[in-house]
């Protein structure tokens, strides 16, 4: 099935640094979601975006719904060790079915 | 947000056997879904579990291999039938009213 392309695939950052990752699609989506998955757990919803151009924050996280509706980005400010994990974007078209991105693995160096 | 539990959390099964995974939500939800996540990979939708009717399967997934039940608005099961080592994966259920929330997953290993 279709997958969304996420970049980078993985990243090593220093604690305290800001992080940026993005997600692109060849298809238009009506909703963009960002999830974080820790080892042995299911994905946890971080941010949901419903309108093209929308910019939404959740604590140190900020995400934007691209104006073309084919992309989204997620920023994490002042990263901390518990930010380690895999971040997935997901897009929904006209229905409720989600298409997931390929994932960005974040590793934080103390 | 809905709280979702899955049973079993993990299992090791023999080739040719079947395993039924249960998913329980703490409140009534409109939609329930089943996903597969192979090691180190992203999530792939298997099917939408429809309450009171047959599930809607995605391309590449069939009812004979992955029968699904959804008897009410809080519960669903996924059976992985006639298992082979290629079925080793994490199976996740999700539930949605507005946003979609996920259970903790069932880690299946087939020998």
């Amino acid at each position: 099935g279709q997958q969304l392309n996420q970049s980078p695939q993985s990243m090593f950052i220093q604690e305290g640094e800001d992080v940026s990752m993005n997600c692109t699609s060849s298809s238009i989506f009506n909703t963009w979601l960002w999830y974080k998955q820790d080892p042995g757990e299911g994905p946890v919803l971080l941010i949901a975006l419903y309108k093209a151009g929308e910019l939404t924050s959740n604590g140190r996280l900020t995400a934007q719904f691209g104006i073309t509706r084919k992309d989204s980005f997620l920023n994490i400010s002042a990263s901390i060790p518990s930010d380690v994990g895999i971040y997935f974007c997901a897009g929904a078209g006209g229905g409720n079915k989600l298409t997931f991105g390929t994932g960005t693995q974040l590793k934080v160096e103390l | 947000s809905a709280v979702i539990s899955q049973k079993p959390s993990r299992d090791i099964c023999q080739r040719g056997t079947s395993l039924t995974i249960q998913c329980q939500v703490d409140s009534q939800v409109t939609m329930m879904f089943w996903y597969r996540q192979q090691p180190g990979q992203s999530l792939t939708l298997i099917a939408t579990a429809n309450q009171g009717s047959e599930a809607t399967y995605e391309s590449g997934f069939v009812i004979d291999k992955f029968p699904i039940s959804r008897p009410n608005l809080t519960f669903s099961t996924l059976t992985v039938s006639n298992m082979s080592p290629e079925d080793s994966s994490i199976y996740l259920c999700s539930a949605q009213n507005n946003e979609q929330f996920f259970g903790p997953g069932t880690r299946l290993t087939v020998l």
Side-chain angles (χ1 to χ4, degrees):
Chain A
Q2 178 191 12
Q3 279 192 336
L4 305 178
N5 293 315
Q6 272 185 253
S7 64
Q9 185 176 1
S10 66
M11 54 196 315
F12 253 111
I13 59 169
Q14 298 285 331
E15 184 179 5
E17 284 185 356
D18 296 344
V19 174
S20 184
M21 60 190 79
N22 65 64
C23 191
T24 59
S25 169
S26 57
S27 305
I28 289 173
F29 288 106
N30 295 326
T31 302
W32 283 93
L33 304 164
W34 284 92
Y35 290 86
K36 177 176 182 271
Q37 187 174 29
D38 292 328
E41 303 289 332
V44 173
L45 182 64
L46 301 174
I47 291 182
L49 302 157
Y50 299 104
K51 205 186 315 185
E54 179 182 354
L55 185 72
T56 297
S57 294
N58 178 9
R60 293 178 297 107
L61 278 60
T62 301
Q64 184 157 30
F65 190 142
I67 201 73
T68 65
R69 293 163 62 195
K70 293 184 177 181
D71 63 338
S72 177
F73 72 76
L74 175 71
N75 285 343
I76 306 172
S77 62
S79 58
I80 60 177
S82 62
D83 290 334
V84 165
I86 303 177
Y87 291 79
F88 289 104
C89 63
N96 296 297
K97 295 192 300 185
L98 294 182
T99 300
F100 273 80
T102 48
T104 294
Q105 181 158 31
L106 183 63
K107 302 175 185 178
V108 179
E109 294 179 337
L110 300 176
Chain B
S1 64
V3 177
I4 304 169
S5 59
Q6 286 184 231
K7 287 197 292 188
S9 58
R10 58 178 60 232
D11 207 342
I12 300 173
C13 300
Q14 294 296 322
R15 181 195 299 262
T17 63
S18 297
L19 176 72
T20 295
I21 302 167
Q22 298 179 3
C23 179
Q24 179 73 56
V25 189
D26 70 340
S27 58
Q28 292 186 343
V29 289
T30 309
M31 310 288 290
M32 293 183 74
F33 304 89
W34 287 96
Y35 290 80
R36 181 172 71 186
Q37 185 177 27
Q38 294 180 310
Q41 302 296 313
S42 184
L43 285 75
T44 300
L45 180 64
I46 297 172
T48 303
N50 298 311
Q51 194 256 329
S53 65
E54 193 171 285
T56 305
Y57 290 83
E58 297 301 304
S59 176
F61 298 97
V62 296
I63 188 171
D64 290 346
K65 176 67 177 177
F66 297 103
I68 287 170
S69 79
R70 189 175 173 200
N72 56 52
L73 293 176
T74 64
F75 185 77
S76 178
T77 67
L78 168 75
T79 299
V80 186
S81 304
N82 187 25
M83 287 183 286
S84 67
E86 292 70 37
D87 295 320
S88 298
S89 192
I90 298 170
Y91 292 87
L92 294 142
C93 76
S94 70
Q96 178 173 354
N97 282 324
N98 296 312
E99 290 88 22
Q100 199 167 128
F101 297 94
F102 284 82
T106 296
R107 184 177 296 270
L108 172 62
T109 302
V110 184
L111 302 178

